[in-house]
Amino acid sequence: MTSSIQNETISSLLANIGLEGTAVSPVLETLGQVDHRYLRDLKINVGNVLNSSQHLSGKETRLLALSVAVNEKHQPLIDAFTAGARQEGATDAEIAEVLACTSLLATNNVFYRFRHFTGKDYYQQTQPGIRMSIMMNPVLGKEFFELVSLVVSAVNGCELCVRSHEESVLKHGATEARVFDAVRLGAVVKGLITLV
């Protein structure tokens, strides 16, 4: 049975991500049964990335979190972060753009990792043949579109894409501190998904 302190920690964590009132996953329940200190760390980490960033707005944090939830196909968090983004002022067009960007980057990350891994001239020189028109005039602006692209690429482990999008987002005016906060958010949300 989960202790009352652990119950409070789990409830607070779920409320912070917009999943209050939902069933506790078996994985979280297992940690709660042994009074595991990681639950407190996770609650603090999630709170820090969603609510305490000096370099990302509330809307941006929810949209970035949404991109990771979509990438990882975690429907409860997709719903929660979509609702959170709307509460922070995100429009339907902005939410749709994050969904489309995430899909495009999932595609590109596979393709460009393959190119990078093989290193063969034919693959490097042949045009990808992948349409990317959504990158031209993003609703959220080029800088934020590149930031979403960077976070998804980092989560998917595409070194070539990470380098390219990090360089691009800095050229579009982001600071390294903003990049750091965004990628840290992506990492924490990815870790969160393994438990909820």
Side-chain angles (χ1 to χ4, degrees), residues 8-195:
E8 189 177 305
T9 301
I10 291 170
S11 294
S12 177
L13 169 66
L14 294 176
N16 196 20
I17 58 178
L19 293 179
E20 60 273 324
T22 62
V24 175
S25 75
V27 179
L28 270 181
E29 183 66 34
T30 298
L31 290 177
Q33 288 174 358
V34 295
D35 193 29
H36 204 284
R37 66 182 179 265
Y38 181 67
L39 284 176
R40 290 182 292 280
D41 291 347
L42 182 63
K43 178 184 145 198
I44 291 167
N45 291 341
V46 168
N48 285 345
V49 299
L50 291 180
N51 304 315
S52 301
S53 175
Q54 296 176 357
H55 307 285
L56 299 167
S57 71
K59 179 171 90 170
E60 290 171 333
T61 60
R62 294 319 186 272
L63 290 172
L64 288 167
L66 174 60
S67 72
V68 177
V70 168
N71 189 70
E72 300 302 306
K73 301 176 219 50
H74 194 284
Q75 194 61 51
L77 282 179
I78 292 169
D79 296 341
F81 290 137
T82 298
R86 282 197 174 103
Q87 287 175 349
E88 293 287 344
T91 66
D92 288 343
E94 291 170 332
I95 290 167
E97 184 168 271
V98 167
L99 303 178
C101 178
T102 304
S103 176
L104 174 61
L105 267 293
T107 302
N108 285 353
N109 293 160
V110 170
F111 182 79
Y112 287 100
R113 266 196 326 256
F114 164 76
R115 267 188 170 180
H116 182 74
F117 290 161
T118 59
K120 293 186 176 179
D121 287 342
Y122 178 81
Y123 304 132
Q124 300 295 331
Q125 295 167 7
T126 303
Q127 287 296 317
I130 298 170
R131 295 262 310 157
M132 297 182 239
S133 60
I134 64 168
M135 292 180 131
M136 301 319 254
N137 269 323
V139 174
L140 288 159
K142 191 69 171 154
E143 186 267 353
F144 191 72
F145 190 92
E146 287 295 324
L147 196 59
V148 173
S149 299
L150 172 60
V151 169
V152 173
S153 295
V155 168
N156 289 337
C158 180
E159 179 184 352
L160 189 66
C161 299
V162 165
R163 289 178 184 273
S164 173
H165 291 295
E166 191 264 353
E167 181 180 317
S168 182
V169 78
L170 293 175
K171 283 182 182 174
H172 284 90
T175 63
E176 288 181 341
R178 182 167 162 81
V179 167
F180 184 87
D181 279 2
V183 174
R184 183 174 62 132
L185 181 148
V188 169
V189 172
K190 168 73 172 169
L192 171 69
I193 287 170
T194 67
L195 298 181

